[in-house]
Amino acid sequence: MNPYSVFLLEQPPLPTDATMEATVPETSPDTAIPPGLTLRRTLRGHDDEITSIAFSPDGGRIASGSWDGTVRVWEADTGRQVLRLEGHEDWVRSVAFSPDGGRIASGSDDRTVRVWEADTGRQMARLEGHEHLVLSVAFSPDGGRIASGSWDGTVRVREADTGRQVLRLEGHEGPVWGVAFSPDGDRIASGSVDRTVRLWEADTGRQVARLEGHEGPVWSVAFSPDGAHLASASGDRTVRVWEADTGRQMARLEGHEDEVWSVTFSGDGSLLASKSKDNTVRLWRTGTWEVVARVYEPTGKHLSLSAIAFHPSSPVLVTLGEEDTAIRIWDLDLDLLLGAPPPVPTVHYTNAKVILVGDATVGKTGLGLVLTGHEYAPTDSTHGRNVWTFDSRKVELGDGREETRETLLWDLAGQPGYRLVHQLHLDEVAVAAIVFDARSETDPLAGVRYWDRALRQAQRLQGDSALPMKKLLVCARADRGRVAVSPGRIKALVQDLGFDAYFETSAKEGWGIAELAAALRDAIDWDSLPKVSSTELFQTIKAFLLDEKQAGRLLSTVDDLYRAFLKSANAPAETDDLRAQFDTCLRLVESRGLLRRLSFGDFVLLQPERLDSYASALINAARDEPQGLGCIPEEIVLEGRFRIPKEERLPEAQQEKLLIIAMVEDLLRHEVVLREYADDGPLFIFPSQFTRDYPDAPEPHGKAVIFDFEGPIANIYSTLCVRLAHSGLCSKKELWRNAALYTAQVGGECGIWLREIEEGRAELTLFFGDDASEETRFQFEEYVRTHLQRRALPDTITRRRIFVCPSCEIPISDAAAQRRREDGRDWIACNVCEGVRISLLDREERVRAARVPAIAEMDRSADTARDRAVAATVMEGKEATQDFDVFMAHHTPDKPKVEDIAGRLKDRGINPWIDKEQIPPGRWFQDVIQDAIPNVESAAIFIGDTGLGKWEIVELRAFISQCVDKDMPVIPVLLPGVTDVPKRLLFLKELRWVRFESLDDGDALDELIWGITGEHPGRMR
Ligand SMILES: Nc1nc2c(ncn2[C@@H]2O[C@H](COP(=O)(O)OP(=O)(O)OP(=O)(O)O)[C@@H](O)[C@H]2O)c(=O)[nH]1
Ligand SMILES: [Mg+2]
């Protein structure tokens, strides 16, 4: 969603009165009113676009909020405007009726929620407290409370009468755009830019579930009337339907061709309506999730996130019409909508992902081949991964519908270098087969535990919406001789790790293959997997993309791919929407891991597994670094001067460069690597690939706390090293394979030492220099603990405090310390040193000024450092592909300021076109623009206190109209010192502008980035 996109201003005239009659769109099959809907009435009156509408509980009235700052109340029957609620000092974004119809709540950019008497329009309350825009409001079903979601990332729950805040729901990592109460009032759902939906206990504010799955911001959430389901609308162009109890994702609705802005259920639960930026409202039949109607409703310039509403009890729908300036009331013919076959056929499918994991050379690829119907053939070690179709069939659903069930088999390379990388591919797995080699000379079962833990950890990261996963244990290459492990040990392992079954196989001889294939098939619980509703066109595009992939196409621009699609055998005739549909499909296929859009140059990588092979080669190269420091200069990396198996190397240098940049971006994003400046330029450091051992182990001086945990150790350790280095609490001093030493900003040393106890289980010892303050120790430990809680298996983490005599450094036994503490003593005498008392106080007890640990701050600082490193890499890609994001138009005297902002944009990975916009003497401004326009995605017009210089109004208008033709956002930017758009440029006010209070105004920069990319940075400050 880009709030800055220009849809108006096709011609230069100054803005006119918004109440004008809108032109009736020409009727084409796309814009015609679909059968089953009758337009009853259109309500007009707001002075600007409408953002939100709500029906009163008796269906008699409609409330609407608008950019004009007012809430209006209308009689549904007559269309008469009965009230105009004034008081908000900024745009109104959301409205809600109380369940008894007596009150209306509204949320606004003025950071308040107001409560109004619905009959008289009297303002009853003004609820303050949110630290930023209020984006959504909802009444509890008993009318006693109001929940509001805000840009500040919180949901606040307040008493509707007194305004007293009763709960503050914290957890989202970005603005909260959607909030809803469950019909029984027990739960609150919220959706955020952080891509999650969360469920909270309405009484206590406890977060009960985190629903993961969306790949874009969540703009709106709605419960079904029976409370069983929850729907969410997202910038990823899908609607998802979740089981409200369990958080399981039930359905994924594809079809919209742009961001989906709002969802709501009809009063009887039979329909779900969704509104999208693609200028349509779609009605879906619940349960079967078929589109039963598609209404053409072009949107306005701005976001409208609660812009559809059903009558609570009658078949009536209201939408926003005339580019969000009017309210349209529709009568629905439910018999027709629900009874007749849908006008556009919906394609139903379900995907299942089956993975083969295990150590290198255990026989995964051999199995993969024969399981997918290929002949057995000897294979080399895999680089990256293979993805095969294991099974694809159509199933009758009984009600005339048919579903395609497709199972993909992923064979992940097992070499150690991939362990870090594969952790990223273990999501949404329905069945995992962990493979081991019967005849391994060492311990054949060693890798099994590792992969089991890695899978469990990946499940955990997917929150409460993780799929239930079945696990099979598979012994491969059994033809090579008797299994070197006793049946008893295998049985114990199967029980211990909760495998669903055990198989002995030989791909070569075909032993056990049919049984394993049948077991894999049976293990898929199709009903538990999200059902996808999609369109035939999307299926055609997807099939084309997969064909291109199969044919070995590697890297292509979206344009080239699209052109190839148009020429392909099954391509439909080109329409205005086809390109948008194609782009949407690219995203949908990407979300299955089958291709990757690069963050620069409009490129699509059709073989994303190539990223894995390069990543693994790089990780190995770092490990082989002669000094054992796990690092490698950026320059060498970007030029591909590290060892890669010959058959894996891309033949073409330019393509390789782009691939490497994308690969580094991934590694930085996942914090597998640190980017640091050394004397001779930036370096990449892989903490997990250090080979040097920590010399002071096993007894580092100042041992204080030991954590014991299970999980993917290399990942946990390297991300901890990376994040601590960027936490702002301390800076990195030295790294070893198994230890890291930091210096706290306020002085004092802190260290971690890792000891692997067995595969997947480790001990992490924290130690401190004598000069480390209590507060530093406390925060350091808190940070490590939080990190482990996030990344290790939570029920495996234990903590032990070590008490050491300050004089002789001999530790006190755990039992002794515990006994003393149980006896109520906070000290113990040293056994060795006469008269020395050892304090037994721990953690908070020792920190006198018990300040809340600044974990959130440290986290933010680590996130920022990561994002900067990622941005620097993305900029490399943008430079290599001459990919500019924004044309920075400005007047020469403002250049220093504009350059300053340009620099800040670069730090965030946005590539500005700044050096080329200088208008050489004698050249028409128009010509320069002509050069720039094809190369940029958006334009920012900087207005300083000296005005616009050469920017003459006519030219500016011409420029803007060109942007309109290209559907390119234009963002007027007011530089510091300018408080308003100058009079003679008043027409710029039609556009949404950004104002910098000072050059380091972070909010303004976020807004500008939002305008440029269409994606809100989603971060709160
Ligand atoms: N005797 C015998 N050899 C096999 C069988 N399956 C695979 N192999 C051979 O064993 C070696 C390793 O097998 P792969 O399937 O490539 O091993 P992998 O688990 O995919 O290993 P990575 O790709 O490195 O993770 C290869 O030389 C295969 O040809 C089998 O059933 N019997
Ligand atoms: Mg293999």
Side-chain angles (χ1 to χ4, degrees):
M1 175 270 340
N2 190 325
Y4 299 88
S5 292
V6 191
F7 296 98
L8 297 177
L9 280 173
E10 301 216 317
Q11 284 159 13
L14 291 173
T16 53
D17 191 351
T19 54
M20 66 187 177
E21 280 297 310
T23 46
V24 180
E26 274 176 47
T27 314
S28 77
D30 276 353
T31 57
I33 292 175
L37 273 85
T38 314
L39 181 60
R40 189 206 296 176
R41 198 178 294 289
T42 303
L43 317 182
R44 301 188 187 92
H46 273 294
D47 299 327
D48 204 334
E49 286 176 16
I50 304 166
T51 53
S52 46
I53 37 185
F55 251 114
S56 66
D58 63 1
R61 291 183 169 196
I62 295 167
S64 57
S66 157
W67 294 105
D68 70 11
T70 67
V71 174
R72 317 256 176 145
V73 183
W74 317 75
E75 248 168 32
D77 273 351
T78 62
R80 200 166 62 85
Q81 179 181 315
V82 287
L83 287 174
R84 174 191 166 107
L85 314 181
E86 285 184 61
H88 275 301
E89 285 142 31
D90 210 328
W91 300 326
V92 177
R93 298 220 186 222
S94 54
V95 285
F97 265 99
S98 66
D100 63 0
R103 283 159 298 166
I104 294 172
S106 55
S108 157
D109 278 13
D110 70 8
R111 305 181 180 200
T112 68
V113 173
R114 316 258 173 149
V115 186
W116 317 81
E117 206 165 60
D119 280 348
T120 62
R122 187 176 64 84
Q123 182 175 315
M124 302 166 74
R126 171 194 160 103
L127 316 183
E128 293 185 19
H130 274 301
E131 284 148 28
H132 219 301
L133 319 182
V134 178
L135 306 170
S136 47
V137 287
F139 265 100
S140 64
D142 64 3
R145 293 177 172 194
I146 295 174
S148 52
S150 160
W151 192 286
D152 68 16
T154 67
V155 174
R156 318 249 173 157
V157 181
R158 290 176 281 204
E159 278 173 3
D161 287 343
T162 63
R164 193 175 66 84
Q165 179 172 312
V166 280
L167 291 173
R168 177 188 161 109
L169 313 183
E170 277 182 278
H172 275 300
E173 287 159 24
V176 181
W177 286 89
V179 28
F181 271 95
S182 65
D184 61 7
D186 288 350
R187 296 275 173 95
I188 295 172
S190 56
S192 158
V193 167
D194 71 8
R195 302 177 172 203
T196 66
V197 174
R198 314 229 179 181
L199 284 167
W200 315 80
E201 237 166 42
D203 274 354
T204 62
R206 191 173 67 84
Q207 180 179 312
V208 285
R210 188 183 88 225
L211 313 188
E212 301 259 355
H214 275 299
E215 281 128 27
V218 180
W219 297 125
S220 157
V221 289
F223 277 98
S224 64
D226 63 1
H229 301 148
L230 178 72
S232 52
S234 162
D236 69 8
R237 304 174 183 210
T238 67
V239 173
R240 316 268 174 137
V241 183
W242 316 81
E243 212 167 57
D245 266 0
T246 60
R248 185 174 70 82
Q249 190 184 139
M250 303 173 60
R252 160 188 169 123
L253 314 185
E254 300 180 353
H256 276 299
E257 289 150 26
D258 209 324
E259 306 217 356
V260 192
W261 282 348
S262 52
V263 275
T264 185
F265 283 91
S266 66
D268 66 354
S270 64
L271 291 173
L272 173 84
S274 58
K275 174 191 171 80
S276 157
K277 194 190 165 195
D278 71 3
N279 296 330
T280 68
V281 168
R282 289 173 204 229
L283 297 181
W284 311 77
R285 187 210 316 248
T286 55
T288 64
W289 306 114
E290 286 161 297
V291 178
V292 296
R294 181 179 166 283
V295 190
Y296 177 69
E297 282 295 26
T299 60
K301 287 183 297 188
H302 303 302
L303 265 173
S304 44
L305 297 182
S306 37
I308 29 177
F310 281 101
H311 187 289
S313 49
S314 309
V316 174
L317 171 75
V318 284
T319 61
L320 295 186
E322 301 174 5
E323 295 175 346
D324 293 349
T325 58
I327 299 167
R328 304 220 281 177
I329 307 182
W330 305 85
D331 286 314
L332 306 179
D333 181 341
L334 286 187
D335 289 341
L336 190 72
L337 287 171
L338 298 173
V344 190
T346 298
V347 178
H348 302 277
Y349 66 92
T350 308
N351 293 319
K353 178 170 170 187
V354 174
I355 57 167
L356 297 173
V357 289
D359 283 352
T361 70
V362 297
K364 297 179 297 297
T365 305
L367 276 177
L369 279 174
V370 297
L371 283 170
T372 51
H374 299 86
E375 287 278 311
Y376 170 78
T379 45
D380 281 337
S381 196
T382 310
H383 295 285
R385 59 190 186 243
N386 297 306
V387 183
W388 289 294
T389 304
F390 173 61
D391 194 17
S392 176
R393 55 188 142 148
K394 291 199 173 5
V395 181
E396 293 294 334
L397 295 176
D399 48 5
R401 290 180 307 134
E402 196 182 63
E403 178 183 271
T404 304
R405 292 183 173 171
E406 189 176 62
T407 312
L408 295 182
L409 183 69
W410 290 53
D411 159 31
L412 299 178
Q415 286 179 28
Y418 285 103
R419 285 192 172 187
L420 286 171
V421 177
H422 284 335
Q423 191 68 27
L424 321 175
H425 298 304
L426 301 180
D427 53 346
E428 293 180 1
V429 172
V431 187
I434 303 187
V435 186
F436 70 94
D437 180 8
R439 296 288 302 162
S440 165
E441 300 294 319
T442 49
D443 181 4
L445 297 180
V448 173
R449 277 184 192 275
Y450 168 82
W451 288 103
D452 179 66
R453 288 194 177 102
L455 285 164
R456 273 155 62 200
Q457 172 60 3
Q459 282 246 301
R460 209 172 69 82
L461 288 178
Q462 293 165 75
D464 300 278
S465 39
L467 294 176
M469 183 182 66
K470 290 260 173 66
K471 282 187 306 195
L472 309 181
L473 182 63
V474 179
C475 159
R477 312 210 298 174
D479 57 278
R480 289 172 71 246
R482 211 177 46 80
V483 183
V485 188
S486 73
R489 240 187 105 195
I490 291 184
K491 201 166 159 208
L493 190 73
V494 166
Q495 263 182 358
D496 191 19
L497 302 184
F499 282 104
D500 294 282
Y502 167 65
F503 293 89
E504 252 174 61
T505 65
S506 160
K508 191 173 175 197
E509 301 297 334
W511 300 345
I513 300 301
E515 291 82 353
L516 176 59
L520 290 174
R521 234 171 248 132
D522 289 349
I524 301 170
D525 177 6
W526 290 100
D527 291 333
S528 74
L529 299 174
K531 305 274 170 209
V532 185
S533 292
S534 188
T535 68
E536 276 173 354
L537 174 66
F538 279 11
Q539 294 316 299
T540 311
I541 301 175
K542 282 182 194 171
F544 162 79
L545 291 169
L546 297 183
D547 283 350
E548 290 293 297
K549 185 177 156 68
Q550 290 284 300
R553 191 168 185 142
L554 180 69
L555 195 66
S556 166
T557 61
V558 178
D559 271 342
D560 286 347
L561 263 185
Y562 178 63
R563 276 197 293 274
F565 171 64
L566 290 178
K567 289 198 203 112
S568 67
N570 297 327
E574 194 172 7
T575 60
D576 287 352
D577 296 339
L578 192 56
R579 176 61 202 259
Q581 288 160 332
F582 190 80
D583 285 349
T584 299
C585 256
L586 272 177
R587 285 165 196 265
L588 299 175
V589 177
E590 179 179 30
S591 76
R592 288 175 62 197
L594 299 179
L595 53 81
R596 250 298 283 283
R597 287 175 311 141
L598 304 190
S599 347
F600 47 84
D602 197 33
F603 278 102
V604 179
L605 177 65
L606 287 127
Q607 316 287 340
E609 49 276 24
R610 295 295 196 119
L611 290 172
D612 292 1
S613 10
Y614 269 76
S616 152
L618 179 63
I619 291 170
N620 288 336
R623 191 195 49 214
D624 296 342
E625 196 261 346
Q627 289 185 334
L629 292 175
C631 65
I632 183 162
E634 182 179 78
E635 194 188 334
I636 290 188
V637 175
L638 294 184
E639 289 170 4
R641 287 194 278 131
F642 53 94
R643 262 183 41 207
I644 300 171
K646 221 175 37 242
E647 67 282 8
E648 287 301 305
R649 200 179 264 285
L650 300 194
E652 225 233 282
Q654 177 66 5
Q655 287 200 340
E656 176 174 71
K657 176 157 190 191
L658 301 186
L659 186 86
I660 289 177
I661 293 172
M663 176 265 299
V664 169
E665 183 192 337
D666 271 2
L667 294 178
L668 286 166
R669 220 181 268 288
H670 291 102
E671 300 173 315
V672 170
V673 62
L674 259 169
R675 183 175 188 267
E676 287 210 343
Y677 285 94
D679 294 342
D680 44 359
L683 273 180
F684 291 124
I685 304 178
F686 291 80
S688 60
Q689 301 306 314
F690 279 51
T691 48
R692 249 177 6 133
D693 268 310
Y694 177 53
D696 291 352
E699 285 300 330
H701 171 77
K703 256 164 70 167
V705 175
I706 299 179
F707 286 105
D708 198 308
F709 65 93
E710 291 181 21
I713 295 169
N715 267 67
I716 295 170
Y717 176 69
S718 50
T719 47
L720 179 60
C721 292
V722 171
R723 289 186 72 81
L724 274 171
H726 288 152
S727 64
L729 174 75
C730 48
S731 55
K732 185 185 100 243
K733 196 168 161 201
E734 229 181 322
L735 284 177
W736 294 269
R737 180 182 69 76
N738 52 351
L741 203 58
Y742 300 89
T743 313
Q745 288 324 356
V746 291
E749 264 182 15
C750 317
I752 53 176
W753 168 51
L754 180 85
R755 192 168 72 87
E756 205 163 332
I757 299 170
E758 58 179 42
E759 179 87 64
R761 194 167 143 229
E763 223 179 55
L764 193 71
T765 303
L766 312 194
F767 54 94
F768 297 97
D770 299 336
D771 48 350
S773 73
E774 284 300 339
E775 191 162 341
T776 298
R777 290 163 188 249
F778 186 67
Q779 291 195 344
F780 191 80
E781 183 189 331
E782 266 313 283
Y783 195 75
V784 171
R785 193 178 59 81
T786 313
H787 184 84
L788 292 178
Q789 258 164 1
R790 279 184 199 147
R791 298 190 184 239
L793 297 169
D795 44 353
T796 65
I797 305 170
T798 57
R799 169 188 185 271
R800 214 150 38 94
R801 176 77 166 90
I802 313 285
F803 297 101
V804 181
C805 170
S807 163
C808 65
E809 295 198 12
I810 293 179
I812 302 302
S813 80
D814 287 350
Q818 197 177 343
R819 269 293 287 283
R820 285 286 288 182
R821 280 179 64 101
E822 278 165 11
D823 289 348
R825 309 294 177 101
D826 59 8
W827 61 272
I828 191 168
C830 179
N831 283 341
V832 183
C833 315
E834 197 112 353
V836 174
R837 280 183 170 201
I838 304 164
S839 164
L840 293 179
L841 290 177
D842 194 7
R843 288 166 53 83
E844 292 89 339
E845 301 154 358
R846 299 166 71 103
V847 186
R848 236 168 258 123
R851 215 169 69 91
V852 186
I855 300 303
E857 229 167 86
M858 290 168 71
D859 253 349
R860 248 197 305 276
S861 161
D863 286 349
T864 308
R866 174 199 59 208
D867 294 349
R868 273 181 176 252
V870 169
T873 305
V874 170
M875 282 301 294
E876 296 269 3
K878 289 188 171 171
E879 259 147 37
T881 54
Q882 289 288 297
D883 176 8
F884 294 96
D885 297 290
V886 59
F887 173 69
M888 310 264 276
H890 64 275
H891 185 25
T892 317
D894 298 323
K895 187 152 193 98
K897 287 180 188 161
V898 175
E899 273 181 339
D900 183 290
I901 293 176
R904 291 168 197 269
L905 287 173
K906 283 188 180 173
D907 284 348
R908 303 277 292 266
I910 307 283
N911 198 12
W913 175 297
I914 170 131
D915 296 314
K916 309 192 177 179
E917 91 303 355
Q918 287 266 41
I919 302 164
R923 243 191 106 184
W924 264 102
F925 171 78
Q926 278 290 336
D927 303 343
V928 180
I929 303 246
Q930 295 307 346
D931 283 355
I933 272 204
N935 294 303
V936 294
E937 312 281 317
S938 64
I941 299 169
F942 288 84
I943 301 163
D945 39 19
T946 54
L948 273 180
K950 287 191 183 158
W951 289 82
E952 289 306 329
I953 291 178
V954 179
E955 290 169 335
L956 194 53
R957 284 223 174 116
F959 173 54
I960 292 175
S961 82
Q962 284 188 334
C963 295
V964 171
D965 288 345
K966 270 203 72 191
D967 197 10
M968 207 169 98
V970 179
I971 312 138
V973 181
L974 307 189
L975 289 168
V978 183
T979 51
D980 207 348
V981 175
K983 261 220 178 73
R984 63 191 191 94
L985 299 174
L986 260 187
F987 63 96
L988 283 179
K989 276 213 151 173
E990 259 295 271
L991 308 172
R992 187 170 160 170
W993 37 274
V994 174
R995 184 158 80 89
F996 277 82
E997 304 239 353
S998 63
L999 287 174
D1000 55 11
D1001 182 341
D1003 283 341
L1005 192 70
D1006 274 356
E1007 287 260 328
L1008 181 57
I1009 293 174
W1010 187 6
I1012 294 168
T1013 60
E1015 268 166 44
H1016 186 268
R1019 198 132 29 81
M1020 295 161 299
R1021 48 198 72 252

